[in-house]
Amino acid sequence: MKTTGTRRRAGSVISDMAIVMEHVSKSYTQGVPALNDVTLHINKGEFVFIVGDSGSGKSTLIKLLLRELLPTSGRVIVNGTDVIRLRRRQIPKFRRSLGVVFQDFRLLKDRNVYENVAFAQRIIQKPNREIRKNVPSILSTVGLAGKYKARPKQLSGGEQQRVALARALVNKPQILLADEPTGNLDPKNSWDIMNLLEKINNNGTTVLVVTHNREIVNAMQKRVITMKKGIIVSDEEKGGYIDED
Amino acid sequence: MRINTLFYCIWQGIRNIFKNKWFTLASVATISACLFLFGLFYSILTNFQHMVRNAEQGLCVSALLDAGMSDERVAEIRGMIVLRTEVSQVEYVSAEETWMQFAEENNFGDISIFTENPLEDCAHFDIYLNDVSMQSTLVSYLESIEGVRKVNQSFLTAQALTGVNAIIGYVSIGIIVILFLVSIFLISNTVSIGISVRKEEIQIMKYIGATDFFTRAPFVIEGMVIGVIGSFIPLIGVYFIYNEAMMYVVKRFPSLSQLLAFLPVETVFTNLVPVCIGLGVGIGFIGSFTTVRKHLSV
Ligand SMILES: Nc1ncnc2c1ncn2[C@@H]1O[C@H](COP(=O)(O)OP(=O)(O)O)[C@@H](O)[C@H]1O
Ligand SMILES: [Mg+2]
């Protein structure tokens, strides 16, 4: 099956969906919009790749879901929350239902692995007793149990991304957003991260991954959304990486 | 908020101070420099005011009375003068006392050779004012009293002192405004040095879902601690300089010791210490609070 633009899974209601975007446009300045009338539905528990050229609007889409940006027009609903209607002071609580990782890891350089992950728990005011239980547990999930004392500088790229992943997951988010998580990694580490993401997805978390990694996208046989110049040009179940031309 | 979280924020704030050594150093230096100038200026200003007030209080108007006035009339005139609001103190000096004082001041030695008082008509009131600017009003009032022969004003004119007071007022306002502007400029510069480091950290915190309060707390605590440190250093500096300067002036210009009545350092510091610490903490608080705010909208 191959469709473009709107697609809604049979039997789903909007409030049941993880992510709903309807006729969403976003312009940074006057001129070409970064997103142009994008409509997108993602069910709870799905694993979705977003691919597309550089500048096609993938990161802009992620930022709209995080409520870092507001759309110029359209509706964005995440976990049943209308993102546009959120008040400023409601944003932190909203973000706690999302986990996010980036290409550049964004770890706190002056803190060790344990503190980087514990940080996410401190923000939601978990008592120390629980932090001491949860952090080692998630670190062993991502395969870093032995490195909790290391500083980010002392870790490989793959390890740093796993720390970032552990931080994103420790608060048990319903949705995980990953913006080019393997962009700085070698093939071996890229596969490790992707396998972790799949494992996380198998435990029920909705996962949305922006990537350029053709080989992995083709091999994993997941839903693939392809973007070009701010438009969704293809949305395929068990899709592959679409070549230019 | 959990007590746990509060301790975490305080701990992070203190940690930041050691973590960003150069930022801390620059901020402490900036605040210290501003408060040092403020402290010096404040010390000079309060001493100046103190000296002017001293001079004012020493300022007196003498009202000479007709010779041979009755005690009743003297008491009556005294009563009239005391009632004036600008008058702080009235002393009656009889003709005999005036003569004795005069002889003593001029080293006449044995005055028993004088058979009669050469200053028989010099019984007078010494009148001290609590407001020198009212001197001329008082003088014309005194001249209107029957039995007052002549009124002598002080050699230091009232006008001069009133002028000095006004100048001190203007100069202090001017210097305080300049210091304020300079310190704001310096501090905003210093704060922006540290921004790049913090920008990333603040962004990460916001992505994870930290509230503005939680994001801000460590930075604000850091700013306030820097403010406290930045106010102690200049206070210590001013304390030593004050004592040294006072001793130097007293040694160098002993003849002026009467006019240059310095305030003891403790008196100056009773006000200076809380004001300085308050300013330091305030500057630290405002500086860090506003810097973080710029980066909170992630
Ligand atoms: N902060 C910004 N200000 C102005 N234009 C921006 C900004 N961020 C992205 N853009 C523009 O929006 C378009 C989409 O960018 P982005 O979403 O980052 O694409 P991608 O992540 O797919 O590479 C690009 O043309 C980019 O130049
Ligand atoms: Mg991008």
Side-chain angles (χ1 to χ4, degrees):
Chain A
M1 181 182 100
K2 180 165 175 174
T3 57
T4 55
T6 312
R7 180 171 67 168
R8 186 173 299 181
R9 304 310 176 75
S12 298
V13 190
I14 283 184
S15 63
D16 271 354
M17 293 188 150
I19 294 169
V20 175
M21 296 181 101
E22 283 180 344
H23 304 293
V24 173
S25 295
K26 173 69 190 176
S27 308
Y28 286 101
T29 46
Q30 308 305 91
V32 193
L35 283 185
N36 194 351
D37 195 26
V38 166
T39 296
L40 171 67
H41 298 87
I42 295 174
N43 277 321
K44 286 188 175 152
E46 268 195 278
F47 189 115
V48 181
F49 282 120
I50 298 183
V51 300
D53 302 338
S54 184
S56 59
K58 308 180 298 293
S59 295
T60 302
L61 192 145
I62 298 282
K63 284 175 182 165
L64 288 171
L65 297 176
L66 280 168
R67 178 53 171 81
E68 186 181 340
L69 298 173
L70 278 173
T72 313
S73 64
R75 282 216 304 167
V76 179
I77 293 164
V78 178
N79 284 331
T81 303
D82 186 341
V83 168
I84 294 148
R85 292 231 189 108
L86 277 180
R87 289 167 194 280
R88 200 179 134 67
R89 61 183 168 75
Q90 294 174 315
I91 295 173
K93 198 154 182 227
F94 162 73
R95 285 191 182 149
R96 291 171 194 177
S97 65
L98 308 173
V100 56
V101 292
F102 300 95
Q103 178 172 0
D104 56 357
F105 321 132
R106 303 201 187 171
L107 300 175
L108 298 171
K109 295 180 186 64
D110 62 311
R111 286 171 229 201
N112 63 26
V113 167
Y114 180 92
E115 270 309 318
N116 263 283
V117 178
F119 187 60
Q121 296 247 285
R122 301 203 194 279
I123 281 171
I124 61 169
Q125 305 209 18
K126 278 264 189 251
N128 276 331
R129 156 174 47 81
E130 282 186 48
I131 296 177
R132 278 196 290 269
K133 214 172 59 199
N134 295 340
V135 175
S137 152
I138 195 76
L139 280 177
S140 73
T141 304
V142 300
L144 280 178
K147 300 231 172 182
Y148 70 96
K149 270 188 177 163
R151 300 264 160 158
K153 249 202 318 239
Q154 301 166 311
L155 299 175
S156 73
E159 288 169 330
Q160 290 190 51
Q161 193 59 294
R162 279 188 261 174
V163 177
L165 207 49
R167 183 180 65 190
L169 294 172
V170 71
N171 291 346
K172 302 197 186 338
Q174 290 164 273
I175 304 177
L176 182 72
L177 305 173
D179 193 351
E180 307 202 24
T182 62
N184 284 344
L185 305 182
D186 58 34
K188 160 86 173 60
N189 274 307
S190 298
W191 268 112
D192 286 349
I193 293 293
M194 286 299 179
N195 287 334
L196 261 174
L197 292 175
E198 191 171 28
K199 187 168 139 197
I200 290 154
N201 176 242
N202 288 337
N203 289 336
T205 307
T206 309
V207 176
L208 185 63
V209 187
V210 171
T211 186
H212 280 304
N213 196 315
R214 173 191 315 272
E215 191 199 336
I216 289 178
V217 171
N218 287 335
M220 281 178 76
Q221 293 291 299
K222 301 286 184 187
R223 180 178 169 191
V224 179
I225 294 170
T226 308
M227 297 188 64
K228 194 171 177 181
K229 292 181 180 149
I231 294 170
I232 294 181
V233 292
S234 130
D235 185 347
E236 286 183 85
E237 206 65 55
K238 294 192 193 307
Y241 204 100
I242 295 175
D243 283 300
E244 276 289 276
D245 306 317
Chain B
M1 184 161 85
R2 282 174 183 280
I3 194 86
N4 194 337
T5 310
L6 182 70
F7 282 139
Y8 180 75
C9 290
I10 293 175
W11 167 237
Q12 286 306 314
I14 291 169
R15 213 170 146 266
N16 275 348
I17 289 170
F18 294 99
K19 192 175 77 191
N20 309 304
K21 284 192 195 66
W22 289 110
F23 176 80
T24 303
L25 219 61
S27 308
V28 167
T30 305
I31 294 178
S32 292
C34 291
L35 291 181
F36 181 73
L37 287 176
F38 173 80
L40 276 189
F41 175 68
Y42 177 84
S43 310
I44 293 169
L45 183 75
T46 46
N47 270 293
F48 234 87
Q49 275 184 335
H50 175 67
M51 287 169 195
V52 169
R53 209 171 304 128
N54 259 355
E56 269 183 19
Q57 276 161 3
L59 212 68
C60 84
V61 174
S62 297
L64 289 133
L65 305 175
D66 291 340
M69 185 180 280
S70 70
D71 290 349
E72 290 76 37
R73 182 62 187 154
V74 169
E76 201 180 326
I77 294 175
R78 184 198 182 93
M80 289 160 75
I81 298 170
V82 166
L83 282 180
R84 303 283 295 181
T85 51
E86 68 269 26
V87 169
S88 71
Q89 206 187 332
V90 181
E91 274 171 27
Y92 176 68
V93 187
S94 68
E96 287 71 37
E97 283 162 344
T98 310
W99 167 230
M100 260 142 65
Q101 268 175 25
F102 183 78
E104 197 171 315
E105 276 166 25
N106 295 285
N107 297 318
F108 281 12
D110 186 12
I111 55 168
S112 55
I113 50 165
F114 291 93
T115 51
E116 63 181 48
N117 185 350
L119 299 178
E120 194 55 54
D121 60 352
C122 286
H124 64 276
F125 285 114
D126 279 338
I127 303 154
Y128 297 87
L129 291 106
N130 51 32
D131 180 1
V132 275
S133 65
M134 297 296 287
Q135 183 166 293
S136 55
T137 320
L138 179 69
V139 168
S140 37
Y141 173 73
L142 293 173
E143 280 168 343
S144 72
I145 299 175
E146 201 173 321
V148 173
R149 176 168 71 81
K150 190 173 177 231
V151 180
N152 284 337
Q153 298 190 33
S154 201
F155 71 97
L156 251 177
T157 71
Q159 228 138 30
L161 278 181
T162 314
V164 168
N165 248 345
I167 288 169
I168 291 176
Y170 292 134
V171 169
S172 25
I173 290 169
I175 292 181
I176 284 169
V177 167
I178 291 168
L179 272 182
F180 188 73
L181 293 179
V182 167
S183 61
I184 287 192
F185 174 76
L186 286 177
I187 282 153
S188 69
N189 268 345
T190 316
V191 163
S192 60
I193 296 172
I195 281 183
S196 57
V197 189
R198 284 111 204 282
K199 193 177 168 174
E200 206 185 352
E201 186 170 337
I202 292 168
Q203 229 173 29
I204 292 168
M205 292 174 88
K206 294 295 290 178
Y207 273 130
I208 301 177
T211 56
D212 287 356
F213 179 87
F214 188 90
T215 312
R216 211 174 234 161
F219 292 99
V220 169
I221 287 165
E222 178 189 357
M224 284 169 24
V225 173
I226 285 175
V228 170
I229 300 170
S231 59
F232 272 110
I233 295 171
L235 281 173
I236 294 166
V238 170
Y239 186 88
F240 284 109
I241 289 178
Y242 190 97
N243 280 329
E244 287 298 314
M246 209 160 72
M247 274 180 343
Y248 175 80
V249 172
V250 170
K251 252 191 222 153
R252 186 76 205 278
F253 309 103
S255 54
L256 291 179
S257 63
Q258 208 100 84
L259 189 64
L260 298 176
F262 285 106
L263 283 167
V265 72
E266 290 76 20
T267 312
V268 177
F269 269 56
T270 343
N271 287 329
L272 189 58
V273 170
V275 168
C276 245
I277 293 175
L279 281 176
V281 171
I283 291 169
F285 179 85
I286 292 169
S288 52
F289 194 88
T290 51
T291 311
V292 178
R293 186 169 58 183
K294 277 187 218 147
H295 299 284
L296 279 179
S297 55
V298 174

